[in-house]
DNA sequence: ACCTGAACACCGTTCAAGT
DNA sequence: ACCTGAACACCGTTCAAGT
């Protein structure tokens, strides 16, 4: 591959890919430089430092989602709109599971920008849309708050479940060892299969339906 | 202060205090050693490494909460029990805002251990309690899942709101600058005060009431 | 204008040595 | 048994130098 001159976008995109592949902790100016075929110090021409690079990577993902995808389409009902946004956010979280914790952990730019919906421009658009769907000011703000906390809770849980090593590496990997550990916890043991069942997609949709239902009755009242 | 010999507990507790005060990123083996009046290398006698120390700090907080507080008292109704647990968890999150993201970000030890309720022993106790309150197996598991995702979403939002610099430091701190930024976002601007209102305590309680109500109707059906 | 090389201060961690 | 000192490989970042 012939190396063009580096741009800020190149660096930020490379950081996203690197974090997706190796995790944040592995992201090093020297290693990212090497991945780009350049000395670490060249990165400082385009980005002020490591911390800011990570912020920029988060911002890039957010901006791509909200500018390129979410502002193009607008369903005819607010229920459909919520589902549209939720599914897009879910897809982003599952496509970049190593980035998602960063998206929600970095302090937001303003007190009323609630993760993971961290784009002022987009939040404005969202609230404006809710008004068009007939929400009052109070209902719109409440819906925004309820929606963010639903997304946060459900998506982080899904993402963190991905981080669990599927087969916990034990030096003594006989079944007996595992069962012995669980033996002290009879209810967990009995419900183990139910607890381990991963219906995250359905649970996400159900939770969203519940939320929508709650907001609907709140609107009618 | 006369220095006794160091114990593992001393090291872990010091790590918690250090993170509370300075954040994880500032936690350094050398600095933590200095805080304990000891060389960095002495810590390795008690803890395998930095990563494991942070895990141990998280585990310590969880264990303290669940063993010392949450297993002592058991309200007579399941609704009261949910409130009791939620309030204890909320208090922990707000007492250790810099630790909370670590509690929910570290991969859980088992697929059915959902953050922030990361104690097997305690989850077993929780599920057993729900059974005693009359929950079926399915309802108990559903309640556990809904409860964790509610706690996660709401508490992380509260904690991340704490991280926002209350007065964003701008070189040009005139009001005009701030308003110019917001000028492009009329709905956010108009709803700014409503959005910024911090009713987190009430919202938390309301959200919990909603959750309880949802679980109750699910039980009756 | 953009990248490199050398350098600085600071990491986590190992290991032999002290007491 | 517990802590120290020196050392190693690796960081982020600065700065003068190259092209």
């Amino acid at each position: 591959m012939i190396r063009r001159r580096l741009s800020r976008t190149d660096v930020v995109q490379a950081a996203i890919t690197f974090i997706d592949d190796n995790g944040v902790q592995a992201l090093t100016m020297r290693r990212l430089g090497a991945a780009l075929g350049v000395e670490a110090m060249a990165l400082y021409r385009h980005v002020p430092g490591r911390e800011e690079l990570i912020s920029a990577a988060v911002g890039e993902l957010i901006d791509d989602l909200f500018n390129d995808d979410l502002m193009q389409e607008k369903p005819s009902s607010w229920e459909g709109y919520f589902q549209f946004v939720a599914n897009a956010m879910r897809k982003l979280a599952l496509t970049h599971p190593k980035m998602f914790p960063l998206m929600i952990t970095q302090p937001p730019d303003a007190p009323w920008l609630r993760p993971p919906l961290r784009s002022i421009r987009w939040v404005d658009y969202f609230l404006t849309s809710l008004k068009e769907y007939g929400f009052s000011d109070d209902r719109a703000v409440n819906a925004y708050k309820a929606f963010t906390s639903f997304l946060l809770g459900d998506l982080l849980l899904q993402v963190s479940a991905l981080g669990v090593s599927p087969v916990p590496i034990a030096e003594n990997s006989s079944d007996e060892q595992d069962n012995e550990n669980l033996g002290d916890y009879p209810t967990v043991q009995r419900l183990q299969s139910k607890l381990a069942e991963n219906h995250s997609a359905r649970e996400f949709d159900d939770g969203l339906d519940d939320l929508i239902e709650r907001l609907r009755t709140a609107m009618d009242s």
Side-chain angles (χ1 to χ4, degrees), chain A residues 20-38:
Chain A
D20 280 341
D21 293 342
N22 310 105
V24 222
Q25 28 179 346
L27 178 68
T28 268
M29 299 306 269
R30 282 165 159 96
R31 288 207 266 246
L32 187 61
L36 285 163
V38 107

Side-chain angles (χ1 to χ4, degrees), chain A residues 5-218:
Chain A
R5 228 173 45 269
L6 224 51
S7 74
R8 184 188 151 95
T9 309
D10 294 332
V11 175
V12 174
Q13 287 295 350
I16 294 174
T17 305
F18 194 96
I19 294 174
D20 280 341
D21 293 342
N22 310 105
V24 222
Q25 28 179 346
L27 178 68
T28 268
M29 299 306 269
R30 282 165 159 96
R31 288 207 266 246
L32 187 61
L36 285 163
V38 107
E39 295 300 312
M41 300 70 199
L43 303 178
Y44 288 87
R45 187 73 30 184
H46 304 97
V47 120
R50 181 180 186 268
E51 211 77 355
E52 296 89 341
L53 173 56
I54 294 172
S55 284
V58 168
E60 181 72 15
L61 246 37
I62 299 282
D63 287 349
D64 286 355
L65 177 69
F66 291 138
N67 291 333
D68 300 351
D69 298 342
L70 283 184
M71 306 226 340
Q72 307 308 325
E73 197 174 328
K74 190 135 111 191
S76 55
S77 72
W78 66 267
E79 291 92 339
Y81 187 52
F82 271 64
Q83 261 146 359
F84 173 62
V85 174
N87 282 328
M89 193 74 230
R90 176 168 195 268
K91 189 175 160 202
L92 177 64
L94 295 181
T95 309
H96 302 279
K98 303 239 174 82
M99 291 284 310
F100 191 72
L102 300 175
M103 296 180 38
I104 63 183
T105 266
Q106 303 227 333
D109 296 328
W112 23 266
L113 262 194
R114 300 161 60 106
L117 270 33
R118 310 181 41 136
S119 155
I120 313 187
R121 178 157 173 260
W122 186 81
V123 166
D124 188 76
Y125 179 74
F126 181 71
L127 291 169
T128 308
S129 303
L130 291 193
K131 292 291 297 177
E132 289 168 15
Y133 287 124
F135 281 62
S136 71
D137 282 359
D138 283 338
R139 298 287 186 231
V141 170
N142 282 344
Y144 168 61
K145 291 185 176 178
F147 190 47
T148 49
S149 102
F150 163 73
L151 286 178
L152 206 51
D154 240 79
L155 293 183
L156 183 58
L157 236 18
Q158 290 187 41
V159 162
S160 92
L162 292 180
V164 182
S165 51
V167 177
I169 298 125
E171 55 270 29
N172 178 0
S173 74
S174 73
D175 286 8
E176 304 180 22
Q177 175 64 20
D178 288 4
N179 288 341
E180 204 170 21
N181 286 341
L182 272 179
D184 299 332
Y185 311 111
T187 306
V188 166
Q189 188 175 32
R190 189 167 54 80
L191 298 181
Q192 192 178 5
S193 66
K194 279 187 208 294
L195 288 165
E197 276 170 13
N198 189 357
H199 298 137
S200 54
R202 186 152 55 76
E203 282 165 18
F204 184 72
D205 292 337
D206 288 352
L208 184 54
D209 286 344
D210 278 348
L211 174 67
I212 288 174
E213 193 54 40
R214 244 193 307 154
L215 294 175
R216 199 204 318 273
T217 60

